[in-house]
Amino acid sequence: QQQVKQSPQSLIVQKGGISIINCAYENTAFDYFPWYQQFPGKGPALLIAIRPDVSEKKEGRFTISFNKSAKQFSLHIMDSQPGDSATYFCAASSGSSNSGYALNFGKGTSLLVTP
Amino acid sequence: GAVVSQHPSRVICKSGTSVKIECRSLDFQATTMFWYRQFPKQSLMLMATSNEGSKATYEQGVEKDKFLINHASLTLSTLTVTSAHPEDSSFYICSAKSGTGRGYTFGSGTRLTVV
């Protein structure tokens, strides 16, 4: 059962545009929400992460918006560049030793930024 | 920053043989190691979680006798795919976490091809 639902599956954005990827979760025990970027043949790399006590976090061109009541969070990539073309995964984890702190991943979004 | 070195990056083996994948945390103590499997254009699926010095906890549907995980030290965890078959061909990725912190560091992945 997918604990984190991610959309869209794929996204095409023109250079300079805004890329938006959305995720939703059900487990209210989740308290850590990271976004990862993955290039083909490589492991995921952490982009940005947020805790549920804030509604927004910005790092450079990347912003996470978090809506605790709706159990949704999203990634915004401002001024998207061709080098941003990759697969993006949202994830969530619980701060409980029972869960092993394991990350639950969304299905991923393949982003293509056209020149 | 934290680095996890994963080797080999690619391996081709014959059906019926065993393959060992190593993950080393280079500059921190990996108290918990997660092993994932990723099929092409799909998300990361958690296979097992291991804590240093303890037996690994396997996810439902993952054969523990086929995927042997050893986490004997705070800097090294290994995944051995025993009696590999073509259906085991996949991208295997490790991720390490230190203590109760929420920083997860991923290895660069291992592309296993069983022929």
Side-chain angles (χ1 to χ4, degrees):
Chain A
Q1 183 181 353
Q2 197 80 26
Q3 294 204 51
V4 180
K5 291 184 165 59
Q6 182 172 347
S7 63
Q9 187 175 354
S10 62
L11 182 61
I12 300 175
V13 173
Q14 281 195 327
K15 179 182 175 181
I18 303 174
S19 304
I20 302 175
I21 305 171
N22 301 297
C23 283
Y25 65 98
E26 287 297 325
N27 188 344
T28 54
F30 288 153
D31 63 353
Y32 177 71
F33 303 88
W35 283 90
Y36 289 88
Q37 179 189 58
Q38 186 181 30
F39 292 104
K42 302 294 184 184
L46 177 67
L47 267 180
I48 186 171
I50 198 168
R51 300 270 191 167
D53 52 346
V54 297
S55 60
E56 186 175 282
K57 183 175 181 180
K58 183 176 180 179
E59 288 184 2
R61 295 185 295 112
F62 302 97
T63 299
I64 297 181
S65 296
F66 186 83
N67 186 328
K68 187 174 181 178
S69 60
K71 289 184 283 188
Q72 295 175 347
F73 58 110
S74 60
L75 174 69
H76 291 62
I77 305 175
M78 313 300 287
D79 187 27
S80 299
Q81 300 295 313
D84 296 331
S85 298
T87 301
Y88 293 80
F89 292 96
C90 61
S93 72
S94 163
S96 161
S97 59
N98 290 337
S99 71
Y101 304 98
L103 285 167
N104 297 272
F105 283 89
K107 289 194 172 184
T109 296
S110 178
L111 170 66
L112 175 64
V113 181
T114 59
Chain B
V3 175
V4 171
S5 176
Q6 183 172 347
H7 292 281
S9 59
R10 290 177 177 271
V11 58
I12 300 173
C13 71
K14 289 187 176 181
S15 186
T17 62
S18 295
V19 172
K20 180 184 283 189
I21 301 169
E22 287 189 355
C23 275
R24 293 181 184 272
S25 56
L26 299 187
D27 48 6
F28 68 102
Q29 294 184 330
T31 51
T32 306
M33 191 73 80
F34 305 93
W35 287 93
Y36 295 87
R37 183 173 182 176
Q38 186 178 32
F39 290 107
K41 298 189 184 301
Q42 292 191 23
S43 188
L44 287 79
M45 298 303 298
L46 181 66
M47 298 174 66
T49 301
S50 71
N51 292 298
E52 182 264 339
S54 303
K55 286 185 179 180
T57 301
Y58 290 81
E59 295 298 301
Q60 192 173 7
V62 178
E63 299 175 60
K64 62 181 180 181
D65 294 331
K66 180 169 187 61
F67 298 100
L68 300 180
I69 291 172
N70 184 287
H71 192 174
S73 80
L74 285 171
T75 58
L76 175 64
S77 178
T78 60
L79 167 67
T80 302
V81 183
T82 62
S83 188
H85 290 284
E87 56 266 30
D88 298 324
S89 298
S90 188
F91 194 54
Y92 293 87
I93 309 170
C94 64
S95 174
K97 193 180 79 65
S98 176
T100 56
R102 308 307 286 278
Y104 303 79
T105 304
F106 283 81
S108 55
T110 297
R111 171 72 60 196
L112 170 64
T113 303
V114 185
V115 297

